[in-house]
């Protein structure tokens, strides 16, 4: 049942590595916001391809950034016209995400976090293993970096939380920020929702320090994964 209340648009931007659960969460959130009368557009990489917004782009850093900016421009237009624009985008680099935050204003970044080992385990297409074996160049998180947000509004851990648990964290944050009303969130979660005081935002780390610290964890994980794949390949070759 649609709720008759004043509604303003905002952008909900999901970022995370391939297979982390961005599209699943975006679809879940979008449907529940529609149920309370919000105008919603859920967009991901496939939508860009269908609309020819990603035509001419490859998997390089510049192309990834161009894709994020194109998607972000669409989200900006939707937001200023009262629509909730939900983007489920790899968008692996911080600079375009931060640029979109400044341009859009009503921008909520959700970091969909999941360890690489878990992503490899749940990858039914075997893309991560192919990338580790050198068969897929420009693969984010393996041969190309993924830069996690320094200070996102929400962090969800899909290897530890259910879709419902992650979604509830997002709805509560949208309520705390004033982008959703208590009556909307109450209707969505089936319980009384209250707005909480916003915690002080952590200062962002300097970009150079972030670049120095973030990739280290990825490289450590990737080395382990590479050794595992190479060992398996060596055993197969000896048979």
């Amino acid at each position: 049942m649609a709720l008759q209340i004043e509604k303003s648009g905002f952008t909900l931007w999901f970022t995370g590595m391939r297979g982390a659960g961005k599209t699943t969460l975006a679809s879940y959130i979008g449907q529940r916001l529609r149920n309370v009368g919000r105008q919603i557009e859920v967009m991901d990489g496939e939508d860009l391809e269908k609309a020819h917004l990603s035509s001419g782009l490859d998997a390089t850093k510049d192309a990834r950034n161009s894709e994020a900016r194109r998607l972000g421009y669409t989200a900006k237009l939707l937001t200023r016209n009262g629509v909730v624009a939900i983007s489920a985008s790899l968008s692996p680099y911080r600079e375009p995400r931060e640029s979109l935050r400044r341009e859009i204003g009503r921008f909520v970044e959700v970091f969909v976090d999941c360890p690489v080992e878990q992503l490899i385990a749940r990858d039914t297409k075997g893309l991560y293993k192919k990338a580790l074996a050198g068969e897929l160049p420009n693969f984010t998180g393996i041969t190309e970096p993924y830069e996690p947000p320094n200070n996102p509004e929400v962090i969800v851990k899909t290897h530890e939380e259910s879709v419902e648990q992650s979604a509830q964290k997002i709805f509560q944050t949208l309520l705390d920020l004033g982008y959703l009303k208590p009556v909307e969130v109450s209707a969505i979660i089936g319980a009384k929702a209250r707005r909480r005081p916003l915690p002080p935002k952590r200062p962002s780390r300097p970009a150079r320090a972030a670049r120095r610290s973030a990739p280290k964890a990825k490289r450590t994980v990737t080395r382990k994964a590479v050794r595992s794949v190479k060992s398996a390949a060596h055993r197969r070759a000896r048979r």
Side-chain angles (χ1 to χ4, degrees):
M1 180 179 177
L3 301 174
Q4 300 301 314
I5 59 176
E6 182 182 352
K7 306 178 184 74
S8 299
F10 57 87
T11 292
L12 190 59
W13 192 277
F14 290 87
T15 179
M17 288 176 58
R18 186 188 300 271
K22 300 181 297 297
T23 299
T24 298
L25 265 174
S27 299
Y28 183 93
I29 297 276
Q31 185 55 57
R32 274 137 193 86
L33 290 177
R34 285 191 189 97
N35 291 343
V36 295
R38 287 282 183 157
Q39 294 186 64
I40 305 294
E41 285 294 338
V42 179
M43 305 172 290
D44 59 17
E46 291 184 5
D47 293 314
L48 281 175
E49 293 177 7
K50 291 175 185 175
H52 303 291
L53 291 174
S54 61
S55 59
L57 298 179
D58 50 27
T60 62
K61 178 177 180 178
D62 287 344
R64 294 285 191 196
N65 288 346
S66 293
E67 181 177 300
R69 290 190 181 99
R70 293 179 187 184
L71 193 59
Y73 181 72
T74 305
K76 177 181 175 181
L77 296 179
L78 292 167
T79 295
R80 76 184 188 191
N81 283 283
V83 178
V84 178
I86 302 177
S87 167
S89 170
L90 192 65
S91 50
Y93 298 100
R94 292 190 193 98
E95 189 278 324
R97 298 195 306 259
E98 288 304 311
S99 177
L100 291 173
R101 176 188 294 280
R102 293 189 295 270
E103 292 176 18
I104 296 172
R106 294 171 65 84
F107 182 94
V108 179
E109 188 174 33
V110 180
F111 176 33
V112 185
D113 190 16
C114 186
V116 173
E117 295 92 340
Q118 290 290 328
L119 295 175
I120 294 172
R122 66 170 66 163
D123 178 19
T124 57
K125 295 181 180 179
L127 297 178
Y128 277 92
K129 290 182 179 179
K130 288 181 180 179
L132 288 165
E135 299 174 21
L136 295 178
N138 300 323
F139 193 91
T140 299
I142 304 299
T143 56
E144 293 293 327
Y146 173 79
E147 297 176 352
N150 284 334
N151 203 5
E153 279 71 21
V154 190
I155 299 175
V156 296
K157 297 181 178 295
T158 57
H159 57 296
E160 298 175 353
E161 304 164 0
S162 67
V163 173
E164 293 78 10
Q165 289 171 327
S166 294
Q168 188 152 343
K169 288 168 67 174
I170 295 166
F171 288 131
Q172 183 64 53
T173 299
L174 293 172
L175 173 59
D176 295 343
L177 291 167
Y179 295 160
L180 292 180
K181 304 294 184 184
V183 65
E184 292 178 290
V185 178
S186 296
I188 290 169
I189 67 174
K192 189 172 181 59
R194 292 185 176 87
R195 188 174 177 179
R196 305 172 305 189
L198 287 172
K201 221 173 184 189
R202 301 188 307 274
S204 297
R205 294 174 294 169
R208 182 175 298 177
R211 285 198 302 269
R212 202 162 40 231
S213 60
K216 288 182 180 178
K218 294 295 179 187
R219 285 199 296 266
T220 300
V221 172
T222 301
R223 286 196 192 107
K224 291 179 182 178
V226 168
R227 285 198 296 269
S228 175
V229 171
K230 285 184 176 179
S231 297
H234 182 66
R235 288 194 297 272
R236 287 196 298 272
R238 293 179 59 187
R239 290 174 184 168

